[in-house]
Amino acid sequence: MFRPFLDGYYDVENQLPEYVKRKAFEYFKREEEEKSSIKSIEEFEKRRNRIREYFIDAIGGLDIEKTDLKAKITGTVERENYIINKIVYQSIPGSYVTANLYLPKEIEEKAPAVLFACGHWEWAKTAPEYQRICIELVNNGFVVLAVDPIGQGERMQYYDKFLKRTLVRWGTMEHSYAGLQCTLTGAGIARYFTWDLIRAIDLLESLPEVDNERMGITGNSGGGTQTSYMMLVEPRLKVAVPCTYITSREEYMKTGQAHDNEQNIFKAISMGLNYDDFVTGFAPKPVMIGAVDSDFFCIEGTLRSYERTKAIYKLYGKEEDIKLYVTKGTHSYNDELREEAVEWFVKYLKGEKRSKSSDIKVEEDETLRCTISGQVLAEFDDAKNITELNYDYFKKYHKEISGKENIREKLLEILNLPQDKRPLYPRTIESGSFNGFPYKKVFMFTETDITTAGVYFSGEGSNLCTLLLLDNGTEDVLKEFDLIRSFLSRGDVFVYDPRGIGSVKCRDINLHEFYEYYGTEYKLNFDLIMLGTSMTALRVFDILRAFEYVKEVNPKATFSIAGKGVSSIYALFASVIDESVKEIYLEDILYSYEELISSRYYRYDSRLEIYGIARYFDIKDLISCISDRNVVLVNPRDSRGEIANIEELGGVKAYRY
């Protein structure tokens, strides 16, 4: 119905990314002012303690029982100067972790140890790039433990032992796929990455060869992320070298790139948790930040974080113990970084100089495998995948809320709607007739610089007005006109585009498909989650303001709302919040958050990412809040997109067509 650029009236293609940036940079300014005001160790440590407590809570807590690791050596590889033990341990009962333990052959006294956190390589601990640093460290007298993270190496969480392949792409795709389920529970998949490494430290501590007072950690990319998290939460570590990860949120946001799921920490921006906070979380212990000049983790942010970190180390009189090393290259733990990292560990954990390792020979992947099958889910009958672990978490921490008003208040708290109630300034830019019904095209401002739009059809009969929400908005007016006509037979219909949909959809801001992993919707929604809200929340806010417009147009109007697809969730939330909505039509709505959380395989949609909503209520609980009104529920869907075999939901009959 609308031509590009809102019929030429407004350039809406940039408004949503710019809105997110503007909100974020308000917090960045506040963060900078707070950090600049720190003049003493006491002030810094007070802030650090607050950030640490917040971070642990945001990822779902680390109050996990430390059960028996049940560590087993499943094989040994012997080389001239060292041996490699192939180890399997359980970080949580049933959560099997595969690791390679490098031991120097001749240890006369307890040796320092380095925990190696693997980045996003499919082979994880056996990637040649990672083997080289482990080998050089062991040749310099270190015990080294390289650990496979979730979704990589021998820990593919969607491996089918009968088909003998993984059904969800390894690594970052797995992390985002499982991450949605974690987000809904009010946790984060980062919780499991971090816990696996905390238990790896427990394993190192148990070894007679290891000096527990001399332990360090390193890793790059996703391993740099894990290293950074451990620097903030694990006091037993004494030296750290996070590589090719440290940048700054304000600089990275300018790139338009998305983070991996485990890197999107709830409220990180609004709480002031930046990359430098992970480094200063380790102060005043020795840290070397490793970077390459042409990384997608932009170097401008790395420099900013380093300068902030230096200021904190200066408070302690330990400026020499923080270092930034930048080498040429793109995103990798390259040879130069490796050599400098080993030098750092040798200096601070041994008080010596690095012995050069020439001609490092790496092993084949099969040689270092800890399992016969190559995957823990095929090897151990009692192995739990990430879906099961997260569902256990959900059942433990689920806090059911009862009562319509209590649910409404909690929903408002979770959504954290904007408070900007500026005038709408609605404009009618075209009038005419479409399929025999009068219409007008309108747009309005629900917030400063946020344009929303719609097509208002005049129908037959009463003062009823139905606000219709479609996933493609007004772009689907022709496709969905049979549905529109059914509502027009009873009154007016306002086909409405909240921000980012239909006529006000923003441009692509990166190379990924708009609604796919790492695409524009994914990236902007996670930025909003780090701001403490979500795209869903902002769209619900727009919908509530659209009702204000209808009241202006027709003060006698009674309200109905209809949603189809993901937009049915927006319609449901809005109707729970606004009790003046008397009729609700929900088609193709996801029928259960819990069913999605408990399903190993489901249809991923980043638009469903709302932090913690399933901890307090499910879709049925929200529907029960409006069941005393006229509610029509059509074709409720399960997590795989199939029509659910249910008779009713929240006290409302379900119709299937």
Side-chain angles (χ1 to χ4, degrees):
M1 292 290 288
F2 285 88
R3 290 168 292 157
F5 303 104
L6 209 60
D7 282 4
Y9 276 81
Y10 264 87
D11 178 3
V12 295
E13 290 193 339
N14 294 309
Q15 66 172 9
L16 194 48
E18 290 303 316
Y19 171 91
V20 174
K21 281 184 186 177
R22 186 172 71 250
K23 294 294 183 183
F25 273 83
E26 289 172 5
Y27 282 110
F28 294 147
K29 181 180 179 182
R30 187 182 307 174
E31 174 200 342
E32 181 64 39
E33 290 171 351
E34 181 184 12
K35 288 178 176 176
S36 297
S37 71
I38 293 173
K39 304 301 181 186
S40 69
I41 292 173
E42 291 74 21
E43 289 173 336
F44 162 70
E45 291 186 348
K46 182 179 179 181
R47 184 183 188 279
R48 175 168 62 183
N49 291 339
R50 173 176 63 82
I51 289 292
R52 182 183 288 122
E53 289 174 8
Y54 142 71
F55 171 77
I56 292 172
D57 181 65
I59 64 172
L62 292 172
D63 54 338
I64 308 171
E65 182 184 357
K66 285 192 173 184
T67 53
D68 186 354
L69 289 168
K70 297 184 179 179
K72 293 182 179 179
I73 298 174
T74 61
T76 299
V77 177
E78 187 169 346
R79 294 296 177 256
E80 183 179 353
N81 299 323
Y82 56 89
I83 61 171
I84 306 171
N85 286 335
K86 298 184 279 188
I87 292 179
V88 179
Y89 67 90
Q90 296 181 53
S91 60
I92 300 171
S95 180
Y96 288 88
V97 182
T98 43
N100 289 155
L101 178 68
Y102 293 75
L103 292 166
K105 269 194 172 177
E106 297 181 6
I107 299 180
E108 297 179 357
E109 56 185 22
K110 285 180 179 285
V114 174
L115 177 61
F116 187 81
C118 294
H120 293 135
W121 274 97
E122 181 176 2
W123 310 283
K125 66 184 181 305
T126 67
E129 180 180 322
Y130 297 160
Q131 286 190 57
R132 289 188 186 97
I133 187 165
C134 293
I135 293 169
E136 184 159 359
L137 282 166
V138 75
N139 281 338
N140 276 271
F142 292 91
V143 174
V144 186
L145 184 65
V147 178
D148 279 341
I150 286 169
Q152 295 164 240
E154 298 177 74
R155 301 185 67 203
M156 303 299 184
Q157 299 299 293
Y158 301 94
Y159 185 82
D160 187 299
K161 63 182 178 181
F162 299 107
L163 295 176
K164 296 183 178 180
R165 64 183 179 90
T166 185
L167 300 182
V168 176
R169 189 171 181 270
W170 67 272
T172 56
M173 295 301 181
E174 273 207 18
H175 301 165
S176 291
Y177 190 78
L180 168 57
Q181 296 172 313
C182 296
T183 300
L184 290 172
T185 66
I189 195 170
R191 177 177 188 260
Y192 302 97
F193 285 92
T194 305
W195 187 250
D196 287 345
L197 294 187
I198 288 173
R199 298 312 317 272
I201 295 293
D202 293 340
L203 176 59
L204 284 170
E205 274 195 330
S206 72
L207 300 176
E209 298 90 347
V210 170
D211 181 348
N212 295 341
E213 297 302 313
R214 292 188 291 161
M215 290 195 290
I217 187 169
T218 190
N220 86 301
S221 188
T225 307
Q226 297 169 64
T227 298
S228 298
Y229 294 174
M230 288 289 283
M231 288 163 64
L232 186 60
V233 305
E234 180 50 83
R236 291 174 291 180
L237 294 167
K238 299 298 191 290
V239 180
V241 182
C243 293
T244 64
Y245 170 66
I246 299 299
T247 182
S248 74
R249 297 201 188 282
E250 49 268 61
E251 295 299 332
Y252 192 75
M253 182 170 282
K254 296 173 186 177
T255 71
Q257 297 177 84
H259 287 289
D260 300 315
N261 186 284
E262 66 269 25
Q263 296 164 342
N264 294 300
I265 306 300
F266 179 58
K267 286 189 174 181
I269 295 173
S270 60
M271 292 295 290
L273 172 66
N274 215 321
Y275 289 77
D276 60 282
D277 290 294
F278 295 117
V279 187
T280 60
F282 207 64
K285 294 180 283 189
V287 178
M288 188 191 89
I289 301 169
V292 288
D293 62 353
S294 300
D295 204 337
F296 56 78
F297 285 117
C298 51
I299 194 67
E300 293 83 1
T302 311
L303 296 169
R304 181 190 290 263
S305 288
Y306 174 60
E307 290 302 319
R308 284 176 170 171
T309 303
K310 276 202 307 183
I312 297 303
Y313 273 73
K314 187 175 181 180
L315 290 177
Y316 287 94
K318 291 286 188 179
E319 298 98 315
E320 73 280 2
D321 288 345
I322 177 68
K323 177 180 179 178
L324 171 61
Y325 185 79
V326 183
T327 185
K328 296 287 184 183
T330 54
H331 189 71
S332 69
Y333 209 139
N334 63 28
D335 292 343
E336 246 190 281
L337 272 187
R338 182 189 79 233
E339 291 167 2
E340 201 68 22
V342 174
E343 188 76 59
W344 190 258
F345 284 119
V346 170
K347 175 182 177 181
Y348 282 99
L349 290 179
K350 297 188 73 179
E352 300 173 4
K353 288 189 176 182
R354 163 178 162 263
S355 300
K356 292 185 179 180
S357 295
S358 59
D359 192 25
I360 298 174
K361 294 181 180 179
V362 300
E363 310 292 340
E364 294 295 325
D365 175 70
E366 294 82 358
T367 304
L368 298 180
R369 283 182 186 168
C370 303
T371 59
I372 297 171
S373 62
Q375 291 295 326
V376 295
L377 293 183
E379 197 83 2
F380 305 103
D381 292 336
D382 63 339
K384 286 188 173 184
N385 59 56
I386 185 63
T387 303
E388 294 170 308
L389 294 173
N390 182 62
Y391 191 47
D392 288 343
Y393 178 90
F394 167 80
K395 289 183 289 185
K396 180 177 179 179
Y397 290 101
H398 180 62
K399 301 176 182 178
E400 186 171 339
I401 293 178
S402 59
K404 185 188 302 185
E405 192 55 37
N406 291 334
I407 289 176
R408 181 178 179 274
E409 288 180 7
K410 179 56 74 171
L411 178 61
L412 284 168
E413 178 188 324
I414 290 169
L415 293 178
N416 189 19
L417 300 177
Q419 300 302 307
D420 184 356
K421 296 286 282 186
R422 58 161 285 166
L424 291 168
Y425 296 120
R427 294 103 189 266
T428 299
I429 59 175
E430 181 180 298
S431 300
S433 178
F434 186 84
N435 283 352
F437 292 93
Y439 78 87
K440 56 184 178 181
K441 293 197 291 189
V442 301
F443 70 85
M444 66 197 77
F445 295 90
T446 54
E447 276 193 274
T448 301
D449 295 331
I450 289 295
T451 315
T452 65
V455 180
Y456 194 104
F457 290 95
S458 297
E460 303 168 0
S462 68
N463 284 321
L464 180 69
C465 180
T466 299
L467 188 72
L468 176 59
L469 306 166
L470 304 168
D471 285 349
N472 291 315
T474 53
E475 291 180 5
D476 276 353
V477 164
L478 183 60
K479 176 183 175 184
E480 297 290 350
F481 205 78
D482 285 346
L483 178 63
I484 294 169
R485 183 181 284 110
S486 70
F487 294 124
L488 284 169
S489 67
R490 304 180 59 241
D492 297 346
V493 176
F494 186 24
V495 185
Y496 181 61
D497 292 338
R499 70 189 74 192
I501 291 176
S503 61
V504 291
K505 184 178 178 180
C506 71
R507 65 178 176 84
D508 288 306
I509 60 175
N510 57 41
L511 293 175
H512 300 276
E513 292 294 323
F514 195 91
Y515 290 111
E516 296 301 317
Y517 295 107
Y518 305 104
T520 298
E521 181 85 11
Y522 173 105
K523 184 264 189 300
L524 292 176
N525 192 35
F526 270 119
D527 284 347
L528 289 165
I529 286 172
M530 289 193 286
L531 283 163
T533 182
S534 63
M535 195 70 81
T536 292
L538 299 185
R539 287 170 178 158
V540 169
F541 174 80
D542 292 341
I543 291 162
L544 296 173
R545 299 227 64 196
F547 281 128
E548 295 178 32
Y549 164 74
V550 176
K551 288 177 186 176
E552 290 182 19
V553 173
N554 185 357
K556 296 181 180 180
T558 55
F559 296 134
S560 168
I561 194 168
K564 185 174 181 180
V566 175
S567 295
S568 62
I569 293 178
Y570 310 151
L572 173 60
F573 289 179
S575 60
V576 171
I577 293 168
D578 189 342
E579 294 183 318
S580 69
V581 180
K582 301 304 180 185
E583 299 185 10
I584 301 101
Y585 176 92
L586 306 171
E587 183 174 347
D588 295 335
I589 193 169
L590 174 71
Y591 90 90
S592 172
Y593 286 128
E594 182 173 357
E595 191 264 339
L596 188 156
I597 291 167
S598 62
S599 298
R600 190 176 182 199
Y601 299 105
Y602 69 96
R603 187 170 66 182
Y604 178 84
D605 193 324
S606 65
R607 291 173 292 182
L608 298 175
E609 300 265 7
I610 306 171
Y611 180 88
I613 194 165
R615 181 177 287 194
Y616 302 101
F617 34 71
D618 209 335
I619 300 292
K620 64 180 175 60
D621 303 309
L622 295 168
I623 290 178
S624 71
C625 289
I626 58 173
S627 60
D628 57 342
R629 297 179 243 172
N630 184 10
V631 183
V632 177
L633 184 63
V634 176
N635 292 342
R637 302 280 173 168
D638 64 20
S639 61
R640 301 190 75 167
E642 303 295 329
I643 297 175
N645 185 27
I646 56 173
E647 298 301 319
E648 63 87 31
L649 193 62
V652 174
K653 178 178 173 59
Y655 296 92
R656 293 189 291 274
Y657 299 121

